[in-house]
Amino acid sequence: MTEQNLEAKLKNLLKQEKIQLWNPPYTEQDQQPGQQHMQVLAERYAPLLRLPVSEVGGALESIRAQAVKRGKGNQTFRETSVATLELLLPRNAKKDPKVRTYLETRLDVSAQQVVDRVAEEHGLRSIKLILSGRTLSAERRLDEQGVKNHSKVMVLRVSDGELKQQLTEEEEERRSQEESVQRTQKGFQILSERDGSEDPDTTPFLEIADQKGNPLKIPPTEKKALILAMGFHEKGRALMKRKQHDNALCHLLQADQQFSKCGSALLSSVDNYAVLQLDIVWCYRALEALSCLEDGRSRLQRAEDCFLRCYGEQQERLLMIKGNTGREEVLFLRLYLLQSLLSYIEGSDSEARLQLSRVESLYARLRPDSEKMAQLMALGFSEREARLGLRASRGDLQEAPIHISTRRQEREELKQRERQKRRTRMEAISALMELGFSQRDAARALHHADGNVDRAYTILLDSSQDAQATNNNTEGGASPEKVEQLLYLGFERDSAEAALRLTGGDVQSATQLLLDNQGVLSPELLTPPSTSSTSSTPSSEEPSSASSSPEDSELVSEVLEDIAPHEEDYLDLTLEEESELISAMKAYLHREPAHT
C-alpha cells in the first residue's frame, strides 16, 4: 500500500511540473530509462517526500515503465485492435505482488474466452471478471459491457480450484459454489412472489417493514427487486462473517444490481443501500483489490449521501425515529476509515489523517468496554444486547440496562402484534369458510381486503357472481326457442345446445358451425364448462394452501437460514477488524522520515 501512496504523490508532482516520463530525456529511443535524468529527478523529489533516493527512484521507474507500456498498448490497439487489460489477480495467484499483470485481447470476443485464457495462464478455476463493480456476463462481448483498452479487470475466484483433491471432489465443490448465487436468487425469487395470502406457518413469506416494524406499501415490481436485493445482501454478509470474501463479493454485487431496479425515492428513504456500498468496499479491502479505486470512491460517496438523506445532516431524523444515534455510529466509523484508506492510496496524506482522527474519536467511544460488558451480561443480557446497549447509551452503565429492557419490550410487543394479527386472520378465514368458501379463496380475498372480513366477503361474493354470469352468458344462449329452431332443421339436441353455447346464442352462427361439422360436434365441445376449477370461484374441494415443490421448499429454507435473526445484526460490529486497520493506517501515516 505504501507503494501506491508514493506513486500517487509522485504522479501529482510530475503533473504539476508537466513532466512526461515516457518521452526523452527520461525514456530513450530503445524504451530504456535515461538513467542520468531519472537519477536527477529522484534526487530532487526525495527531500520533498522525506524518503530515500533509492525508494523514490524505484517508484519513478515503475511509473515510467507503466507509461511506456501504456503508450505501446495504445499504438498496438490503433494498429491491430488488440487491447491491453490490467488484471487484478487474487492475492495467492500473484507470483510477485509488486508486478502488474496484463492481458492482450480483442474486445469483440466474449468474456468467457478471456475467462478461459486467464484460468489457463494463471492456473485458476471457477473465476468471474469484475469491471467497475459489475460482473461481466460470460456470453456477451467485452466491448458491449464497457471494457476498453487499459481497463482494470478484477479476477474473482468463486471456488478454490487449486486444492489437490480428486477430480470428482474438485468438480463437486466447483459446481456447488458456482450454484450459490443461482440458488440464492431462486430462493428469494420464490419468496418475492409470495404475497402473504397463504398460511405463513407452511408457506413463509417476507414482508418489508420500517424501522418500527410497520409493513411498508411498495409497488409489486419494486418490492420484488427489493426482496432480491436484501436477500443477496444478507447472503453476502453471512459469507463475509465466514471470511469468504470472494464469494461474498459476488452476492453483494448481485444485490447492488437488484437495488438499481428500485426507485430513487425508495433508495433515499432506507439505509440498506448505503450499508451495501460499505460492505462492497470492505470486501475490496479484504481482497486487497483497492486498485478498484474509482469504483470504491464513488461507492463510499453514495453511501455517505444515502446516510445523510436517511438520518439527516445532524442525524436528527435518526434521533427522532430511534431515540439515539449511538448504534448507527459504527457505520460512520467504517465509512470514515475506508475514506481514510482511499485517501492514503491516492497520496493525500493530510486528508487521510483528517479522516483517521474522526475514526479514532468514534472508536474511543464505540469500542466495547470489557468490564461494563461483563456487568451487563451478569444481569442476564446477551453479549449483543450489552454491546448495542452501551453504544446507544454512550457508555452509561445506568442507562444501558434501561435501553436494553426497552428494546426487549418493543420486540416483544411487535411479536405480540404479529401473533394477534395471525390469530385474527385465522378466525376470519374460519368465518368465511363457514359461509361455504374454500380456505384458499378466503385467505386470498382476506389478503386483498387488507384483513377486512366484510370487504373479503364482498370480493368473494362478486367473484362468485362474475363466474356465474360467465356461465350464464355461455349456457344462457341455448334458450328453448333457439334450440327448437335447430331441432326443426334436423340437428340433435346435444349438438344444438353445444353449438348455441359456443356461438353465444347466435342461431345463424350455430347453424353454420353444425353444418361445418356435419351436425356432429366433438365430445369436448359437447361437455358444459365446469366452474369448480375456476380460481376465482370458491370451492370446498380445493387444497387449504398453495402447494410448492420439495425443491422450492428446500431453497426457501436454505436462504432463510442466512437471514440474520436479529434486526440490528448489521450494527453489531465487534470492531476487531476496524481496530487492525486503524493500527495499520497509523503506521502508514506516521512512518519516520528516512534520511536522504
Side-chain angles (χ1 to χ4, degrees), residues 342-378:
L342 291 188
S343 294
Y344 177 75
I345 292 173
E346 290 174 329
S348 179
D349 290 9
S350 58
E351 181 64 26
R353 287 193 181 92
L354 177 63
Q355 294 288 19
L356 189 61
S357 67
R358 300 173 75 182
V359 171
E360 290 185 283
S361 175
L362 282 172
Y363 180 74
R365 187 163 69 243
L366 299 173
R367 65 182 173 185
D369 184 313
S370 56
E371 185 177 336
K372 291 181 179 179
M373 291 270 293
Q375 291 185 50
L376 289 173
M377 291 169 68

mmCIF file of all heavy atoms in Angstrom, residues 342-378:
data_model
loop_
_atom_site.group_PDB
_atom_site.id
_atom_site.type_symbol
_atom_site.label_atom_id
_atom_site.label_comp_id
_atom_site.label_asym_id
_atom_site.label_seq_id
_atom_site.Cartn_x
_atom_site.Cartn_y
_atom_site.Cartn_z
ATOM 1 N N LEU A 342 -8.585 5.132 1.302
ATOM 2 C CA LEU A 342 -8.543 5.513 -0.115
ATOM 3 C C LEU A 342 -7.766 6.814 -0.300
ATOM 4 O O LEU A 342 -7.046 6.972 -1.293
ATOM 5 C CB LEU A 342 -9.957 5.649 -0.674
ATOM 6 C CG LEU A 342 -10.763 4.350 -0.817
ATOM 7 C CD1 LEU A 342 -12.067 4.608 -1.550
ATOM 8 C CD2 LEU A 342 -9.986 3.278 -1.551
ATOM 9 N N SER A 343 -7.924 7.748 0.626
ATOM 10 C CA SER A 343 -7.170 8.999 0.532
ATOM 11 C C SER A 343 -5.672 8.722 0.604
ATOM 12 O O SER A 343 -4.879 9.338 -0.117
ATOM 13 C CB SER A 343 -7.572 9.956 1.662
ATOM 14 O OG SER A 343 -8.912 10.375 1.510
ATOM 15 N N TYR A 344 -5.271 7.803 1.470
ATOM 16 C CA TYR A 344 -3.851 7.455 1.585
ATOM 17 C C TYR A 344 -3.337 6.836 0.283
ATOM 18 O O TYR A 344 -2.250 7.190 -0.192
ATOM 19 C CB TYR A 344 -3.653 6.476 2.741
ATOM 20 C CG TYR A 344 -2.221 6.012 2.892
ATOM 21 C CD1 TYR A 344 -1.251 6.849 3.430
ATOM 22 C CD2 TYR A 344 -1.834 4.741 2.459
ATOM 23 C CE1 TYR A 344 0.072 6.431 3.540
ATOM 24 C CE2 TYR A 344 -0.525 4.318 2.572
ATOM 25 C CZ TYR A 344 0.428 5.170 3.113
ATOM 26 O OH TYR A 344 1.732 4.765 3.208
ATOM 27 N N ILE A 345 -4.128 5.947 -0.303
ATOM 28 C CA ILE A 345 -3.724 5.306 -1.555
ATOM 29 C C ILE A 345 -3.618 6.343 -2.663
ATOM 30 O O ILE A 345 -2.767 6.234 -3.561
ATOM 31 C CB ILE A 345 -4.720 4.194 -1.943
ATOM 32 C CG1 ILE A 345 -4.612 3.037 -0.945
ATOM 33 C CG2 ILE A 345 -4.468 3.674 -3.348
ATOM 34 C CD1 ILE A 345 -5.650 1.968 -1.133
ATOM 35 N N GLU A 346 -4.451 7.383 -2.610
ATOM 36 C CA GLU A 346 -4.403 8.453 -3.617
ATOM 37 C C GLU A 346 -3.249 9.417 -3.364
ATOM 38 O O GLU A 346 -3.029 10.327 -4.154
ATOM 39 C CB GLU A 346 -5.720 9.231 -3.607
ATOM 40 C CG GLU A 346 -6.905 8.442 -4.150
ATOM 41 C CD GLU A 346 -8.208 9.196 -3.986
ATOM 42 O OE1 GLU A 346 -8.317 9.973 -3.010
ATOM 43 O OE2 GLU A 346 -9.110 9.025 -4.811
ATOM 44 N N GLY A 347 -2.530 9.223 -2.251
ATOM 45 C CA GLY A 347 -1.390 10.090 -1.957
ATOM 46 C C GLY A 347 -1.744 11.329 -1.172
ATOM 47 O O GLY A 347 -0.898 12.205 -0.972
ATOM 48 N N SER A 348 -2.999 11.414 -0.702
ATOM 49 C CA SER A 348 -3.425 12.586 0.065
ATOM 50 C C SER A 348 -3.321 12.269 1.555
ATOM 51 O O SER A 348 -4.316 11.927 2.207
ATOM 52 C CB SER A 348 -4.863 12.966 -0.313
ATOM 53 O OG SER A 348 -5.302 14.076 0.421
ATOM 54 N N ASP A 349 -2.105 12.409 2.092
ATOM 55 C CA ASP A 349 -1.882 12.054 3.489
ATOM 56 C C ASP A 349 -2.652 12.960 4.448
ATOM 57 O O ASP A 349 -3.154 12.506 5.485
ATOM 58 C CB ASP A 349 -0.385 12.133 3.817
ATOM 59 C CG ASP A 349 0.398 11.017 3.145
ATOM 60 O OD1 ASP A 349 -0.190 10.312 2.305
ATOM 61 O OD2 ASP A 349 1.595 10.854 3.464
ATOM 62 N N SER A 350 -2.758 14.243 4.133
ATOM 63 C CA SER A 350 -3.450 15.172 5.034
ATOM 64 C C SER A 350 -4.927 14.806 5.159
ATOM 65 O O SER A 350 -5.488 14.824 6.262
ATOM 66 C CB SER A 350 -3.296 16.606 4.526
ATOM 67 O OG SER A 350 -3.814 16.724 3.208
ATOM 68 N N GLU A 351 -5.555 14.483 4.030
ATOM 69 C CA GLU A 351 -6.960 14.077 4.068
ATOM 70 C C GLU A 351 -7.112 12.756 4.813
ATOM 71 O O GLU A 351 -8.069 12.560 5.575
ATOM 72 C CB GLU A 351 -7.507 13.940 2.642
ATOM 73 C CG GLU A 351 -8.969 13.555 2.546
ATOM 74 C CD GLU A 351 -9.903 14.595 3.132
ATOM 75 O OE1 GLU A 351 -9.542 15.781 3.168
ATOM 76 O OE2 GLU A 351 -11.021 14.208 3.547
ATOM 77 N N ALA A 352 -6.167 11.841 4.595
ATOM 78 C CA ALA A 352 -6.215 10.546 5.285
ATOM 79 C C ALA A 352 -6.115 10.744 6.802
ATOM 80 O O ALA A 352 -6.823 10.093 7.567
ATOM 81 C CB ALA A 352 -5.085 9.649 4.789
ATOM 82 N N ARG A 353 -5.226 11.649 7.230
ATOM 83 C CA ARG A 353 -5.067 11.916 8.670
ATOM 84 C C ARG A 353 -6.342 12.542 9.258
ATOM 85 O O ARG A 353 -6.753 12.214 10.380
ATOM 86 C CB ARG A 353 -3.881 12.852 8.909
ATOM 87 C CG ARG A 353 -2.533 12.192 8.712
ATOM 88 C CD ARG A 353 -1.407 13.071 9.265
ATOM 89 N NE ARG A 353 -0.119 12.440 9.061
ATOM 90 C CZ ARG A 353 0.662 12.643 7.997
ATOM 91 N NH1 ARG A 353 0.266 13.477 7.044
ATOM 92 N NH2 ARG A 353 1.811 12.016 7.894
ATOM 93 N N LEU A 354 -6.949 13.443 8.495
ATOM 94 C CA LEU A 354 -8.161 14.097 8.972
ATOM 95 C C LEU A 354 -9.273 13.072 9.209
ATOM 96 O O LEU A 354 -9.938 13.080 10.249
ATOM 97 C CB LEU A 354 -8.620 15.150 7.953
ATOM 98 C CG LEU A 354 -9.926 15.881 8.277
ATOM 99 C CD1 LEU A 354 -9.781 16.682 9.566
ATOM 100 C CD2 LEU A 354 -10.332 16.795 7.119
ATOM 101 N N GLN A 355 -9.458 12.190 8.235
ATOM 102 C CA GLN A 355 -10.495 11.164 8.373
ATOM 103 C C GLN A 355 -10.153 10.191 9.492
ATOM 104 O O GLN A 355 -11.028 9.752 10.245
ATOM 105 C CB GLN A 355 -10.663 10.400 7.050
ATOM 106 C CG GLN A 355 -11.203 11.228 5.901
ATOM 107 C CD GLN A 355 -12.674 11.557 6.072
ATOM 108 O OE1 GLN A 355 -13.223 11.480 7.162
ATOM 109 N NE2 GLN A 355 -13.333 11.952 4.992
ATOM 110 N N LEU A 356 -8.867 9.851 9.610
ATOM 111 C CA LEU A 356 -8.459 8.903 10.649
ATOM 112 C C LEU A 356 -8.688 9.487 12.047
ATOM 113 O O LEU A 356 -9.026 8.743 12.980
ATOM 114 C CB LEU A 356 -6.988 8.518 10.466
ATOM 115 C CG LEU A 356 -6.497 7.367 11.357
ATOM 116 C CD1 LEU A 356 -7.281 6.090 11.074
ATOM 117 C CD2 LEU A 356 -5.001 7.115 11.137
ATOM 118 N N SER A 357 -8.529 10.796 12.198
ATOM 119 C CA SER A 357 -8.779 11.416 13.506
ATOM 120 C C SER A 357 -10.256 11.282 13.882
ATOM 121 O O SER A 357 -10.598 11.071 15.055
ATOM 122 C CB SER A 357 -8.359 12.888 13.486
ATOM 123 O OG SER A 357 -9.192 13.645 12.616
ATOM 124 N N ARG A 358 -11.143 11.398 12.886
ATOM 125 C CA ARG A 358 -12.578 11.211 13.142
ATOM 126 C C ARG A 358 -12.845 9.759 13.538
ATOM 127 O O ARG A 358 -13.669 9.479 14.421
ATOM 128 C CB ARG A 358 -13.387 11.573 11.898
ATOM 129 C CG ARG A 358 -13.202 12.998 11.434
ATOM 130 C CD ARG A 358 -13.900 13.264 10.106
ATOM 131 N NE ARG A 358 -15.341 13.382 10.241
ATOM 132 C CZ ARG A 358 -16.162 13.575 9.215
ATOM 133 N NH1 ARG A 358 -15.680 13.674 7.990
ATOM 134 N NH2 ARG A 358 -17.454 13.667 9.407
ATOM 135 N N VAL A 359 -12.149 8.851 12.863
ATOM 136 C CA VAL A 359 -12.303 7.419 13.155
ATOM 137 C C VAL A 359 -11.876 7.120 14.593
ATOM 138 O O VAL A 359 -12.588 6.433 15.339
ATOM 139 C CB VAL A 359 -11.471 6.573 12.174
ATOM 140 C CG1 VAL A 359 -11.458 5.106 12.607
ATOM 141 C CG2 VAL A 359 -12.030 6.685 10.758
ATOM 142 N N GLU A 360 -10.727 7.634 14.977
ATOM 143 C CA GLU A 360 -10.208 7.351 16.322
ATOM 144 C C GLU A 360 -11.120 7.919 17.399
ATOM 145 O O GLU A 360 -11.291 7.312 18.463
ATOM 146 C CB GLU A 360 -8.797 7.917 16.463
ATOM 147 C CG GLU A 360 -7.760 7.178 15.630
ATOM 148 C CD GLU A 360 -6.348 7.679 15.866
ATOM 149 O OE1 GLU A 360 -6.011 8.757 15.328
ATOM 150 O OE2 GLU A 360 -5.594 6.996 16.579
ATOM 151 N N SER A 361 -11.716 9.068 17.125
ATOM 152 C CA SER A 361 -12.643 9.661 18.080
ATOM 153 C C SER A 361 -13.872 8.764 18.263
ATOM 154 O O SER A 361 -14.320 8.519 19.395
ATOM 155 C CB SER A 361 -13.062 11.048 17.599
ATOM 156 O OG SER A 361 -14.046 11.605 18.438
ATOM 157 N N LEU A 362 -14.403 8.279 17.147
ATOM 158 C CA LEU A 362 -15.551 7.371 17.221
ATOM 159 C C LEU A 362 -15.172 6.046 17.872
ATOM 160 O O LEU A 362 -15.925 5.498 18.683
ATOM 161 C CB LEU A 362 -16.108 7.122 15.812
ATOM 162 C CG LEU A 362 -16.986 8.211 15.199
ATOM 163 C CD1 LEU A 362 -17.286 7.907 13.744
ATOM 164 C CD2 LEU A 362 -18.291 8.343 15.980
ATOM 165 N N TYR A 363 -13.999 5.549 17.514
ATOM 166 C CA TYR A 363 -13.573 4.240 18.041
ATOM 167 C C TYR A 363 -13.426 4.293 19.563
ATOM 168 O O TYR A 363 -13.806 3.348 20.266
ATOM 169 C CB TYR A 363 -12.250 3.824 17.400
ATOM 170 C CG TYR A 363 -11.735 2.491 17.891
ATOM 171 C CD1 TYR A 363 -12.328 1.307 17.467
ATOM 172 C CD2 TYR A 363 -10.672 2.418 18.787
ATOM 173 C CE1 TYR A 363 -11.876 0.075 17.925
ATOM 174 C CE2 TYR A 363 -10.212 1.197 19.248
ATOM 175 C CZ TYR A 363 -10.811 0.035 18.812
ATOM 176 O OH TYR A 363 -10.360 -1.183 19.273
ATOM 177 N N ALA A 364 -12.876 5.381 20.081
ATOM 178 C CA ALA A 364 -12.704 5.519 21.530
ATOM 179 C C ALA A 364 -14.052 5.456 22.247
ATOM 180 O O ALA A 364 -14.155 4.943 23.370
ATOM 181 C CB ALA A 364 -11.999 6.834 21.840
ATOM 182 N N ARG A 365 -15.091 5.939 21.585
ATOM 183 C CA ARG A 365 -16.418 5.950 22.194
ATOM 184 C C ARG A 365 -17.177 4.640 21.983
ATOM 185 O O ARG A 365 -17.985 4.249 22.829
ATOM 186 C CB ARG A 365 -17.220 7.124 21.611
ATOM 187 C CG ARG A 365 -18.554 7.350 22.295
ATOM 188 C CD ARG A 365 -19.140 8.714 21.996
ATOM 189 N NE ARG A 365 -19.573 8.855 20.624
ATOM 190 C CZ ARG A 365 -19.054 9.734 19.755
ATOM 191 N NH1 ARG A 365 -18.042 10.502 20.124
ATOM 192 N NH2 ARG A 365 -19.524 9.819 18.527
ATOM 193 N N LEU A 366 -16.910 3.963 20.880
ATOM 194 C CA LEU A 366 -17.711 2.802 20.495
ATOM 195 C C LEU A 366 -17.087 1.454 20.813
ATOM 196 O O LEU A 366 -17.790 0.441 20.811
ATOM 197 C CB LEU A 366 -18.019 2.857 18.990
ATOM 198 C CG LEU A 366 -18.811 4.068 18.501
ATOM 199 C CD1 LEU A 366 -18.887 4.070 16.984
ATOM 200 C CD2 LEU A 366 -20.210 4.077 19.098
ATOM 201 N N ARG A 367 -15.786 1.409 21.054
ATOM 202 C CA ARG A 367 -15.160 0.103 21.292
ATOM 203 C C ARG A 367 -15.733 -0.500 22.576
ATOM 204 O O ARG A 367 -15.994 0.196 23.558
ATOM 205 C CB ARG A 367 -13.642 0.239 21.392
ATOM 206 C CG ARG A 367 -13.164 1.053 22.584
ATOM 207 C CD ARG A 367 -11.666 1.177 22.583
ATOM 208 N NE ARG A 367 -11.205 2.090 23.627
ATOM 209 C CZ ARG A 367 -9.937 2.448 23.773
ATOM 210 N NH1 ARG A 367 -9.017 1.979 22.936
ATOM 211 N NH2 ARG A 367 -9.588 3.274 24.744
ATOM 212 N N PRO A 368 -15.920 -1.808 22.572
ATOM 213 C CA PRO A 368 -16.526 -2.461 23.737
ATOM 214 C C PRO A 368 -15.653 -2.320 24.987
ATOM 215 O O PRO A 368 -14.442 -2.533 24.929
ATOM 216 C CB PRO A 368 -16.630 -3.931 23.307
ATOM 217 C CG PRO A 368 -16.524 -3.907 21.809
ATOM 218 C CD PRO A 368 -15.652 -2.746 21.482
ATOM 219 N N ASP A 369 -16.267 -1.948 26.088
ATOM 220 C CA ASP A 369 -15.598 -1.884 27.382
ATOM 221 C C ASP A 369 -15.848 -3.230 28.067
ATOM 222 O O ASP A 369 -16.978 -3.527 28.480
ATOM 223 C CB ASP A 369 -16.168 -0.737 28.206
ATOM 224 C CG ASP A 369 -15.444 -0.548 29.529
ATOM 225 O OD1 ASP A 369 -15.218 -1.552 30.224
ATOM 226 O OD2 ASP A 369 -15.112 0.608 29.869
ATOM 227 N N SER A 370 -14.811 -4.048 28.173
ATOM 228 C CA SER A 370 -14.973 -5.418 28.666
ATOM 229 C C SER A 370 -15.567 -5.463 30.073
ATOM 230 O O SER A 370 -16.399 -6.332 30.386
ATOM 231 C CB SER A 370 -13.631 -6.140 28.637
ATOM 232 O OG SER A 370 -12.661 -5.428 29.384
ATOM 233 N N GLU A 371 -15.182 -4.516 30.920
ATOM 234 C CA GLU A 371 -15.693 -4.523 32.297
ATOM 235 C C GLU A 371 -17.185 -4.208 32.332
ATOM 236 O O GLU A 371 -17.966 -4.878 33.009
ATOM 237 C CB GLU A 371 -14.916 -3.500 33.136
ATOM 238 C CG GLU A 371 -15.291 -3.519 34.612
ATOM 239 C CD GLU A 371 -14.453 -2.550 35.434
ATOM 240 O OE1 GLU A 371 -13.329 -2.208 34.994
ATOM 241 O OE2 GLU A 371 -14.940 -2.130 36.496
ATOM 242 N N LYS A 372 -17.598 -3.175 31.584
ATOM 243 C CA LYS A 372 -19.018 -2.826 31.540
ATOM 244 C C LYS A 372 -19.838 -3.926 30.861
ATOM 245 O O LYS A 372 -20.967 -4.215 31.271
ATOM 246 C CB LYS A 372 -19.200 -1.500 30.803
ATOM 247 C CG LYS A 372 -18.658 -0.291 31.557
ATOM 248 C CD LYS A 372 -18.898 0.992 30.776
ATOM 249 C CE LYS A 372 -18.380 2.208 31.546
ATOM 250 N NZ LYS A 372 -18.584 3.465 30.794
ATOM 251 N N MET A 373 -19.240 -4.526 29.816
ATOM 252 C CA MET A 373 -19.927 -5.630 29.138
ATOM 253 C C MET A 373 -20.192 -6.760 30.127
ATOM 254 O O MET A 373 -21.285 -7.338 30.164
ATOM 255 C CB MET A 373 -19.066 -6.137 27.983
ATOM 256 C CG MET A 373 -18.931 -5.181 26.813
ATOM 257 S SD MET A 373 -20.210 -5.401 25.567
ATOM 258 C CE MET A 373 -19.801 -7.019 24.943
ATOM 259 N N ALA A 374 -19.182 -7.084 30.937
ATOM 260 C CA ALA A 374 -19.315 -8.179 31.895
ATOM 261 C C ALA A 374 -20.413 -7.880 32.920
ATOM 262 O O ALA A 374 -21.192 -8.773 33.293
ATOM 263 C CB ALA A 374 -17.982 -8.415 32.597
ATOM 264 N N GLN A 375 -20.490 -6.629 33.371
ATOM 265 C CA GLN A 375 -21.508 -6.263 34.354
ATOM 266 C C GLN A 375 -22.913 -6.406 33.772
ATOM 267 O O GLN A 375 -23.835 -6.887 34.452
ATOM 268 C CB GLN A 375 -21.289 -4.823 34.824
ATOM 269 C CG GLN A 375 -20.030 -4.633 35.670
ATOM 270 C CD GLN A 375 -19.915 -3.214 36.205
ATOM 271 O OE1 GLN A 375 -20.854 -2.671 36.776
ATOM 272 N NE2 GLN A 375 -18.744 -2.600 36.018
ATOM 273 N N LEU A 376 -23.101 -6.001 32.522
ATOM 274 C CA LEU A 376 -24.415 -6.118 31.888
ATOM 275 C C LEU A 376 -24.783 -7.577 31.622
ATOM 276 O O LEU A 376 -25.934 -7.977 31.808
ATOM 277 C CB LEU A 376 -24.435 -5.322 30.576
ATOM 278 C CG LEU A 376 -24.434 -3.797 30.720
ATOM 279 C CD1 LEU A 376 -24.286 -3.132 29.364
ATOM 280 C CD2 LEU A 376 -25.713 -3.317 31.401
ATOM 281 N N MET A 377 -23.800 -8.351 31.196
ATOM 282 C CA MET A 377 -24.069 -9.770 30.930
ATOM 283 C C MET A 377 -24.380 -10.507 32.233
ATOM 284 O O MET A 377 -25.125 -11.484 32.228
ATOM 285 C CB MET A 377 -22.880 -10.392 30.207
ATOM 286 C CG MET A 377 -22.722 -9.874 28.767
ATOM 287 S SD MET A 377 -21.173 -10.333 27.973
ATOM 288 C CE MET A 377 -21.400 -12.110 27.790
ATOM 289 N N ALA A 378 -23.813 -10.038 33.347
ATOM 290 C CA ALA A 378 -24.118 -10.643 34.643
ATOM 291 C C ALA A 378 -25.579 -10.399 35.030
ATOM 292 O O ALA A 378 -26.150 -11.137 35.840
ATOM 293 C CB ALA A 378 -23.190 -10.072 35.713
#
